């Protein structure tokens, strides 16, 4: 008789949670950290969603808002680190909620998490397409002159397709790409910072960076003071940080492929948040200091030029530097965004795999099926297709009238960003709440908060509720149903999509799902049942 090989500690812990080792466990702790760091991607969020901070508060909102919001996100992160240490499964947030709160909690959490992850895939890939188009336009006047939303959307589809092929090809290749991505983000961000410090001939004053406020939404007639601006416009700028520093749950979704997952995945979450928060703030402050006092034509201030062109960070670069330097910065950012998009699709497909493995998704057999490389290829393809579909409104041109001028604004992109924020953070909140509720009865893993969870968890929950509400706010005057300028193309469709999905889930739950869905399905009852073939 052939002796059965001894199970590793990771396999034993996974077996105790009810699963056999199906996915290829080839990722190191650094690779696990790398995928969350890559998905957070300060080269993506700080560039593509810069306009949310600029238009809804201006430089002061960005300079002060980023570190404040990032501190709260770190609190959310350490609460999740404790959970992944106790339950290192690909289902991540969904599995935790099911374990702690029951099947219903797990069902809603899983779908919110899946919606959020796919929206992040869409927003990152579309942002990458936009910046690739800008990069090509920087080096080619004819390309720039031929700009169209249709062309950007086609590039977006190509990026999604390439990302899917890379994901399907090999889990090992993904780990290599994510390791490279970390150093690209570190050295790339450092290069951008140095370029923006050295190259521009003039820099903004401390007052302009830390005290200047802007309302470029058209809401409240552009006011930058008063109760209405303070509680309705300014809070939207927080979405810049909340969106950029997200997706770190990837460390949980890849835990079944990580060696020493109980400790490595926990560190992957909080370390990726901390290092991204520091690097992102430095990057943003350097952007703000690069705004010149006057525009290239001398007709307005540099900040007014940025506002007049939609608030995007690209409008700072073209004022501060020559086209060659702008091109270099855009190349660094676009490559980082591509790495981020690949990692986002990995995380999304793993969540879909785990959720389907427990039969919570229609067509679950397809999405939980692994190819010869032990990768959920069908799940990768489905995630990419849905990401493309929810971004279709980006094909509609949106010009918002502000101060007598029509300002191009990516409403659809901002909406997809908000969908990602709401979906992911509400999903995070559910298991954090149930862990807090369970108290000392919760069986902690090797990485835990001790008694600190008692005050950290409530802070995390309050922050999530507030930012989720903020993400539902209209981002322009025309998006308010009661305003005469209202039009559907201006609408932040986050409440419609997320609300519509939640209503459907409620109907499905009461009509059918609650009769058969029991949460995570155990493949085995204990490690003793596992018989490994030599």
């Amino acid at each position: 008789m052939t002796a059965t090989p001894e199970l590793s500690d990771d396999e034993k812990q996974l077996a105790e949670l009810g699963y056999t080792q199906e996915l290829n466990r080839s990722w190191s702790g650094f690779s696990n950290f790398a995928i969350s760091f890559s998905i957070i991607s300060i080269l993506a969020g700080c560039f593509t969603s810069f306009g949310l901070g600029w238009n809804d508060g201006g430089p002061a909102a960005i300079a002060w808002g980023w570190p404040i919001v990032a501190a709260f996100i770190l609190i959310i992160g350490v609460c999740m680190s404790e959970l992944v240490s106790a339950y290192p499964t690909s289902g991540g947030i969904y599995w935790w909620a099911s374990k702690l709160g029951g099947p219903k909690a797990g069902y809603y959490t899983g779908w919110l998490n899946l919606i959020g992850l796919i929206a992040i895939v869409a927003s990152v890939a579309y942002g990458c397409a936009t910046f690739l188009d800008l990069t090509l336009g920087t080096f080619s006047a004819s390309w720039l002159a031929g700009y169209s939303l249709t062309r950007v959307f086609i590039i977006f589809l190509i990026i999604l397709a390439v990302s899917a092929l890379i994901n399907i090809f090999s889990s090992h290749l993904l780990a290599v790409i994510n390791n490279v991505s970390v150093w690209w983000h570190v050295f790339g961000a450092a290069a951008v910072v140095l370029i923006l410090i050295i190259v521009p001939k003039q820099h903004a004053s401390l007052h302009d960076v830390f005290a200047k406020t802007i309302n470029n939404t058209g809401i409240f007639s552009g006011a930058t003071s008063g109760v209405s601006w303070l509680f309705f416009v300014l809070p939207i700028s927080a979405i810049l940080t909340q969106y950029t520093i997200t997706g770190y749950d990837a460390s949980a979704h890849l835990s079944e492929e990580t060696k020493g997952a109980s400790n490595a995945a926990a560190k992957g979450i909080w370390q990726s948040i901390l290092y991204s928060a520091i690097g992102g703030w430095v990057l943003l402050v350097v952007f703000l200091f690069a705004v010149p006092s006057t525009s290239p034509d001398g007709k307005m201030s540099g900040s007014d030029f940025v506002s007049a062109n939609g608030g995007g960070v690209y409008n700072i670069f073209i004022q501060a530097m020559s086209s060659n330097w702008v091109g270099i910065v855009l190349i660094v950012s676009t490559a980082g965004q591509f790495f981020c998009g690949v990692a986002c699709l990995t995380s999304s497909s793993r969540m879909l795999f785990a959720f389907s493995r427990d039969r919570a998704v229609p067509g679950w057999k397809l999405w939980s099926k692994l190819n010869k490389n032990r990768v959920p290829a069908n799940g990768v393809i489905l995630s990419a297709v849905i990401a493309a579909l929810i971004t279709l409104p980006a094909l509609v041109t949106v010009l918002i009238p502000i101060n007598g001028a029509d300002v191009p604004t990516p409403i659809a992109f901002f909406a997809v960003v908000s969908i990602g924020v709401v979906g992911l953070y509400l999903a995070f909140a559910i298991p954090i709440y149930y862990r807090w509720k369970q108290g000392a009865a919760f069986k902690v893993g090797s990485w835990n908060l001790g008694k600190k969870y008692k005050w950290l968890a409530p802070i995390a929950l309050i922050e999530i509720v507030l930012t989720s509400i903020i993400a539902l706010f209209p981002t322009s005057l025309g998006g308010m149903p009661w305003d005469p300028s209202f039009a559907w193309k201006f609408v932040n469709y986050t409440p419609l999509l997320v609300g519509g999905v939640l209503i459907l889930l409620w109907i499905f739950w009461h009509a059918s799902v609650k009769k058969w869905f029991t949460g995570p399905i155990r493949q085995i009852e204990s490690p003793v049942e596992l018989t490994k073939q030599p």
Side-chain angles (χ1 to χ4, degrees), residues 269-340:
I269 290 176
W270 74 261
Q271 288 180 351
S272 62
I273 295 171
L274 178 63
Y275 298 143
S276 296
I278 296 169
W281 186 74
V282 172
L283 198 59
L284 288 168
V285 168
V286 170
F287 290 169
L288 298 173
F289 272 112
V291 179
S293 57
T294 57
S295 63
D297 59 11
K299 294 181 179 180
M300 62 181 77
S301 69
S303 59
D304 285 343
F305 179 88
V306 175
S307 297
N309 287 280
V313 72
Y314 172 74
N315 300 298
I316 296 176
F317 300 156
I318 60 175
Q319 294 185 84
M321 302 177 290
S322 66
S323 60
N324 287 337
W325 284 113
V326 172
I328 291 171
V329 170
L330 292 180
I331 288 171
V332 171
S333 173
T334 303
Q337 291 176 49
F338 178 74
F339 290 141
C340 174

Side-chain angles (χ1 to χ4, degrees), residues 9-21:
D9 290 341
D10 286 314
E11 289 170 325
K12 286 178 182 177
Q13 186 172 19
L14 189 60
E16 287 170 358
L17 299 176
Y19 297 108
T20 58
Q21 185 68 53

Side-chain angles (χ1 to χ4, degrees), residues 3 58 85 135 170 209 228 246 323 327 344 349 394 421 480 494 505:
S85 182
T135 304
S170 169
V209 171
S228 298
T246 195
S323 60
C344 287
S349 65
V421 168
M480 296 178 169
T494 302
L505 291 176

Side-chain angles (χ1 to χ4, degrees), residues 25-34 175 179 254 257-260 264-265:
R25 197 178 287 274
S26 61
W27 292 51
S28 65
F30 181 80
S31 295
N32 184 281
F33 156 80
N179 288 348
L254 273 295
E257 296 164 74
T258 302
K259 300 171 185 175

